[in-house]
Amino acid sequence: MQAVQVIGHRGNKADHAENTLQGFESAFTNKNFDGVELDVVVSQDKRLFVSHDMYAKYNQEYRSHHQFDYQKILDATLAADIKQIGRYPLLEQVFELYHTCASSHKVQIEIKSDPSVELPLSIGELVSAVQTLMHNYNLLNVASITSFDYRYIVESKKQNPNIKTGSIMHRCLLPLDSLISLPIDALIFEKNWLTKEDVYKLNILGIESYVWTANSDSD
């Protein structure tokens, strides 16, 4: 059985603000980490940037990021709290930093999705944009595409069967044996829904298993 891996959640949240270049630099250079996880959102002008949430406050009203151009998102963030400087870096900035740090960590790229809204990029266009950046920064062998939205996993494999993918789930009521036919390389379960027996079985099936999110000692 393979050893437990430590994945930096949204960078290095223990020491830096999440999803900032400072946090990612710390994570990429941390020898205690095996990988780093980040989330990707698209703006109205079709820029890919890193944010856990698809929504934020704009003039005291919660609105979706995809309704605004990237610069407007940055300006609104700083107007709300000057301490937020450095948040929402472009995905390509994070990838550039990865090489500057000479990192060899895994990178899990979660594509955020809300099926109830129409994003500026279609599923195919968004997956293609992410994969193109992965290719341009030579990250195809270390990075994987993950999502709660299974459509992005299917599309990722359709565009490039060699891309590593991971399906994120709150829980899974399917027999684990049935998952081997799905186009996934990893299952990412909510931490309370993964048992030791599940891990053993997934290993036999050749599927990696991760949990979200174990941020505390008790977790």
Side-chain angles (χ1 to χ4, degrees):
M1 184 173 178
Q2 62 189 22
V4 171
Q5 299 180 15
V6 177
I7 309 297
H9 184 215
R10 307 179 203 167
N12 183 357
K13 283 183 63 177
D15 299 321
H16 299 274
E18 66 179 42
N19 290 326
T20 59
L21 291 177
Q22 297 91 336
F24 287 120
E25 180 178 9
S26 177
F28 290 149
T29 57
N30 192 319
K31 297 185 183 301
N32 294 318
F33 289 2
D34 299 289
V36 177
E37 181 268 354
L38 55 85
D39 311 282
V40 173
V41 174
V42 62
S43 63
Q44 179 62 41
D45 54 346
K46 302 179 181 180
R47 307 294 299 276
L48 302 183
F49 67 98
V50 180
S51 170
H52 175 261
D53 299 309
M54 295 184 68
Y55 300 84
K57 269 190 177 181
Y58 293 92
N59 296 324
Q60 303 305 311
E61 181 184 0
Y62 274 97
R63 303 278 295 279
S64 173
H65 286 314
H66 82 273
Q67 297 175 283
F68 302 95
D69 286 351
Y70 178 65
Q71 189 58 53
K72 171 68 175 179
I73 294 168
L74 295 182
D75 293 343
T77 301
L78 292 180
D81 184 357
I82 192 64
K83 295 179 182 178
Q84 296 295 312
I85 188 169
R87 285 198 70 190
Y88 304 145
L90 292 170
L91 182 59
E92 59 194 89
Q93 290 179 303
V94 178
F95 285 174
E96 182 69 36
L97 182 63
Y98 181 92
H99 286 295
T100 300
C101 295
S103 181
S104 59
H105 290 348
K106 291 182 176 181
V107 181
Q108 291 184 352
I109 305 163
E110 180 186 342
I111 297 180
K112 306 300 284 190
S113 170
D114 183 346
S116 68
V117 301
E118 184 177 350
L119 299 178
L121 293 175
S122 67
I123 292 174
E125 291 171 334
L126 183 47
V127 167
S128 178
V130 173
Q131 290 196 13
T132 296
L133 285 176
M134 291 168 63
H135 173 77
N136 291 346
Y137 285 91
N138 196 30
L139 295 176
L140 293 176
N141 292 328
V142 297
S144 60
I145 293 178
T146 70
S147 185
F148 279 99
D149 191 332
Y150 191 66
R151 296 174 299 171
Y152 286 93
I153 304 304
V154 173
E155 182 63 27
S156 294
K157 285 293 190 182
K158 178 182 176 182
Q159 292 190 19
N160 184 347
N162 295 319
I163 287 283
K164 296 292 186 182
T165 60
S167 183
I168 312 174
M169 301 183 179
H170 285 283
R171 57 179 177 169
C172 182
L173 301 181
L174 293 172
L176 287 179
D177 290 346
S178 68
L179 299 175
I180 193 171
S181 63
L182 303 180
I184 53 175
D185 302 286
L187 278 173
I188 307 167
F189 286 102
E190 191 172 5
K191 61 180 180 288
N192 295 328
W193 285 91
L194 186 68
T195 68
K196 183 186 296 185
E197 290 72 23
D198 293 336
V199 174
Y200 279 118
K201 181 165 287 189
L202 288 170
N203 281 344
I204 293 173
L205 295 175
I207 298 173
E208 292 186 333
S209 54
Y210 297 90
V211 297
W212 62 275
T213 303
N215 283 336
S216 67
D217 291 339
S218 61
D219 289 341

